[in-house]
């Protein structure tokens, strides 16, 4: 057998993955508990679940631990895990009017039914590095929690209520664009069939719900900055838990638990398609698993952008948006560049060599012709 | 427990280092010298998100002195969440006195409003600007808008206003109505409502504009012409509140916010929180007057 430079592949990859495992634990510190990741890395978990396309906080935590905190990698692991599971039911449409609201704000109106509920957010805080976090102890956490509990007066807790929606106010006034009867309202399950273009809105929203936050943000931001003309206002942003129900074999609705979701309804002034139609407001929609406000805001901006026929801006182009924000696929293909490419490279190498040679030859001939002409 | 002494250094007065503040002040001087012209600047990172008023903060922190009395409003209100946060920050980093009172303030930072009360030559108002480039809606590339400004080529802008008129029977530009400054540059007055736009014209006050994310500063010096873009036959108009009034004070001659009660009932209230307080307490106020508001008064409003 002749000499092969890259050989012993099996052993090498085993060693490489063992080394990766070594890098994960080499500090010889206490293993991070899955419960701790679930509790203290809440937003990373939510990203991983959303992009992984499966609502499973515990599995998301395991994936995050396994991937040393790389959110892409963890989402990828979860996507692969999801493939192993049987799809037993399609849930009934969740109703976000039933949401147990943890946060609910509107940027369009100063006061909304039920009030603005800020909930857990760092939005209005100063992002100064809190070095005290470096030395936080279990006692600190306990002290904080006790102090927090002490501030709650159980007598002042109101009964659980649900809230009307901001868009209802606009709808009542007739300011929203009437539903376009020609719009495709078919439901496509993008995990079961390949997406086709033009894609129905259901498919677009599903794709974006699983899309990578950073990718969505880049395109959503481009639309706001001038590449496309969506200048949206947050009509209502909500985060909270909603019940999920499925229809059993007997046709009865069964409650199977609740999930956390973030929802955003974005109000945008629209350009009327026909002359004589008033410039109604339209609603761009975004919903994703867990708590990820950036994602739903960009989703709803892009939802609006993709409904505009006007091309020339990436954000208005369905194919551009949907293909390129698919994080797991994008990451896979980007990283495939690390795979050996010597066969394909060899063939282009020989082509290029030949072309360079041809070029040199012609140049020499031209040169010689020039010399001859000058001597004449 | 380990004592952490590594990070005990105090921040510089007004957070930003002196050299950078000086740079911003130099750029501000240039901006004042060329009214309405956008001057690029360093725009250092702040502990506040981009797009939440970093540009305003840069200016505020670059010009504030120990004697200043600082007021900050967001959508007209001192109590808006972002205003509260930024006020705490500026107060924490400078120790300056803060106030809600428009008349008492020497330096006012604002998002999306000019106060209803007329500001004087002793005051400076700093605007937080999300989109400094007025031509962005007609031209997405910066190198082209720069050229258009240089050549005072504003045809595209007028065409877009004309198109809006043809489509909807009115120029639909809401807040941030483009203005011509000193007869030379078209400027985006930050998204202040049209109601406030005429108050920029020939004002006593220095107006400074900061767009942090887009890294641009610009200014309107006192007593400068600022005219909303319009056509001979299609004129600029301010918001119409003729059919509404503040439910707390019954006052009509101010920018009103629409609010909804839990029952979905619609009411209006004066947007400027300090002005509302003063009106409620029947205190004396000195309001801006301009030809648009005066016109309304002629109609008996």
């Amino acid at each position: 057998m002749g000499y092969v430079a890259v050989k012993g592949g099996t052993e090498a990859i085993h060693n490489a993955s063992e080394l990766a495992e070594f890098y994960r634990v080499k500090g010889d510190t206490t293993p991070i508990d899955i419960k701790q990741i679930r509790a203290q890395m809440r937003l990373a978990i939510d990203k991983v679940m959303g992009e992984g396309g499966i609502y499973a906080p515990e599995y998301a935590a395991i994936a995050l631990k396994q991937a040393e905190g790389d959110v892409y990698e963890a989402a990828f692991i979860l996507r692969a895990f999801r493939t192993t599971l049987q799809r037993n039911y399609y849930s009934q449409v969740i109703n976000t009017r039933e949401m147990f609201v943890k946060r609910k704000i509107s940027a369009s109106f100063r006061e909304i039914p039920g009030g603005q509920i800020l909930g857990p957010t760092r939005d209005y805080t100063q992002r100064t590095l809190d070095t005290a976090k470096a030395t936080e102890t279990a006692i600190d956490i306990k002290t904080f929690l006790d102090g927090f509990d002490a501030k709650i007066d159980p007598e002042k807790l109101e009964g659980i209520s649900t809230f009307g929606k901001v868009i209802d106010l606009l709808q009542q006034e007739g300011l929203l664009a009437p539903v376009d009867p020609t719009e495709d309202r078919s439901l496509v399950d993008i995990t079961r069939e390949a997406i086709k273009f033009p894609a129905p809105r259901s498919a677009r929203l599903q794709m974006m719900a699983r899309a990578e936050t950073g990718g969505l943000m880049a395109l959503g931001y481009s639309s706001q900055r001038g590449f496309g003309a969506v200048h949206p206002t947050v009509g209502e942003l909500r985060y909270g838990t909603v019940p999920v129900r499925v229809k059993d074999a007997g046709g009865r609705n069964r409650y199977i638990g609740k999930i956390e979701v973030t929802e955003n309804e974005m109000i945008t002034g629209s350009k009327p398609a026909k002359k004589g139609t008033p410039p109604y407001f339209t609603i761009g929609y975004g919903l994703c698993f867990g708590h990820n406000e950036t994602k739903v805001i960009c989703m709803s901006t892009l939802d609006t952008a993709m409904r505009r026929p006007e091309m020339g801006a990436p954000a208005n182009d369905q194919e551009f948006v949907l293909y390129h924000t698919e994080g797991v696929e994008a990451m896979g293909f980007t990283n495939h560049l690390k795979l050996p490419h010597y066969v394909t490279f060899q063939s282009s190498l020989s082509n290029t060599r030949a072309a360079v040679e041809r070029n040199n030859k012609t140049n020499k001939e031209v040169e010689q012709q020039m010399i001859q002409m000058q001597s004449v | 427990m380990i004592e952490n002494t590594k990070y005990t250094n105090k921040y510089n007065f007004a957070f930003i280092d002196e050299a950078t503040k000086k740079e911003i002040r130099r750029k501000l001087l240039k901006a004042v010298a060329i009214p309405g012209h956008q001057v690029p600047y360093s725009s250092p990172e702040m502990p506040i998100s981009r797009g939440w008023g970093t540009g305003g903060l840069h200016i505020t922190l670059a010009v504030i002195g120990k004697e200043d009395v600082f007021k900050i409003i967001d959508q007209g209100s001192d109590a808006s969440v972002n205003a509260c946060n930024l006020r705490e920050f500026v107060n924490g980093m400078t120790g300056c006195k803060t106030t809600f009172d428009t008349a008492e303030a020497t330096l006012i930072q604002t998002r999306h409003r000019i106060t209803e009360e007329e500001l004087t030559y002793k005051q400076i108002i700093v605007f937080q600007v999300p989109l400094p480039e007025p031509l962005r809606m007609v031209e997405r590339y910066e190198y082209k808008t720069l050229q258009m400004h240089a050549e005072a080529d504003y045809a595209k802008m007028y065409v877009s206003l004309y198109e809006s008129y043809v489509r909807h029977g009115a120029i639909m530009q809401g807040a941030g109505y483009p203005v011509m400054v000193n007869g030379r540059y078209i400027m985006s007055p930050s998204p202040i409502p049209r109601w406030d736009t005429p108050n920029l014209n020939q004002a006593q006050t220095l107006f400074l504009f900061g767009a942090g994310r887009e890294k641009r500063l610009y200014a309107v010096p006192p007593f400068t012409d600022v005219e909303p873009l319009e056509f001979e036959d299609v004129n600029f108009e301010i918001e119409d509140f003729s059919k509404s009034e503040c439910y707390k004070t019954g006052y009509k001659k101010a920018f009103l916010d629409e609010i909804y009660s839990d029952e979905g009932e619609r009411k209006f209230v004066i947007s400027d929180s300090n002005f509302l307080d003063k009106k409620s307490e029947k205190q004396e106020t000195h309001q801006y007057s301009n030809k648009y508001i005066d016109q309304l008064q002629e109609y008996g409003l």
Side-chain angles (χ1 to χ4, degrees), chain A residues 99-299:
Chain A
M99 182 185 280
F100 178 80
V101 165
K102 297 180 180 173
R103 169 164 160 80
K104 160 176 98 80
I105 53 155
S106 170
S108 312
F109 295 105
R110 180 160 146 175
E111 203 54 65
I112 50 172
Q116 307 258 13
I117 299 171
L118 295 190
T121 178
R122 285 181 188 83
D123 282 350
Y124 326 105
T125 61
Q126 296 144 26
R127 266 62 159 232
T128 39
L129 189 68
D130 178 9
T131 47
K133 289 277 181 292
T135 49
E136 188 181 40
T137 62
I139 301 164
D140 294 337
I141 294 178
K142 181 91 175 56
T143 317
F144 174 82
L145 287 177
D146 289 346
F148 191 83
D149 280 344
K151 277 192 276 188
I152 298 168
D153 180 356
E155 282 180 13
K156 279 190 187 157
L157 289 179
E158 284 177 33
I160 294 167
S161 64
T162 53
F163 302 100
K165 284 202 155 195
V166 168
I167 53 164
D168 296 342
L169 299 174
L170 295 171
Q171 194 130 38
Q172 280 156 19
E173 270 196 71
L175 294 174
L176 287 187
V179 177
D180 179 3
T182 61
E183 186 169 85
D184 189 350
R185 297 177 66 76
S186 60
L187 263 178
V188 179
D189 181 350
I190 53 139
T191 66
R192 301 280 129 160
E193 44 184 303
I195 191 163
K196 288 190 214 101
F197 293 100
R201 195 171 175 219
S202 71
R204 301 198 305 255
L205 291 172
Q206 281 176 68
M207 287 283 286
M208 288 198 288
R210 293 205 309 178
E212 197 265 319
T213 309
L216 283 178
M217 187 169 72
L219 288 169
Y221 179 53
S222 77
S223 187
Q224 284 184 62
R225 251 200 101 250
F227 288 74
V230 182
H231 296 289
T233 310
V234 169
E236 188 171 5
L237 176 70
R238 284 180 169 207
Y239 155 64
T241 47
V242 285
V244 181
R245 298 181 188 87
V246 296
K247 212 168 234 160
D248 69 10
R252 278 176 302 179
N253 275 338
R254 300 281 196 181
Y255 169 80
I256 57 162
K258 53 188 198 261
I259 59 171
E260 282 201 334
V261 294
T262 314
E263 182 191 45
N264 183 46
E265 278 150 347
M266 191 74 103
I267 306 173
T268 321
S270 73
K271 264 188 195 160
K274 275 178 279 181
K275 224 185 156 189
T277 347
Y280 288 119
F281 287 126
T282 51
I283 299 297
Y285 189 74
L287 180 101
C288 72
F289 283 153
H291 195 184
N292 190 348
E293 298 174 12
T294 309
K295 185 170 187 173
V296 290
I297 287 171
C298 295
M299 250 184 104

Side-chain angles (χ1 to χ4, degrees), chain A residues 110 114 124 127 221 225 312, chain B residues 47 49 85 213-214 257 262:
Chain A
R110 180 160 146 175
Y124 326 105
R127 266 62 159 232
Y221 179 53
R225 251 200 101 250
Chain B
S49 293
N85 182 39
R213 194 175 42 83
E214 300 273 345
D257 284 341
D262 287 359

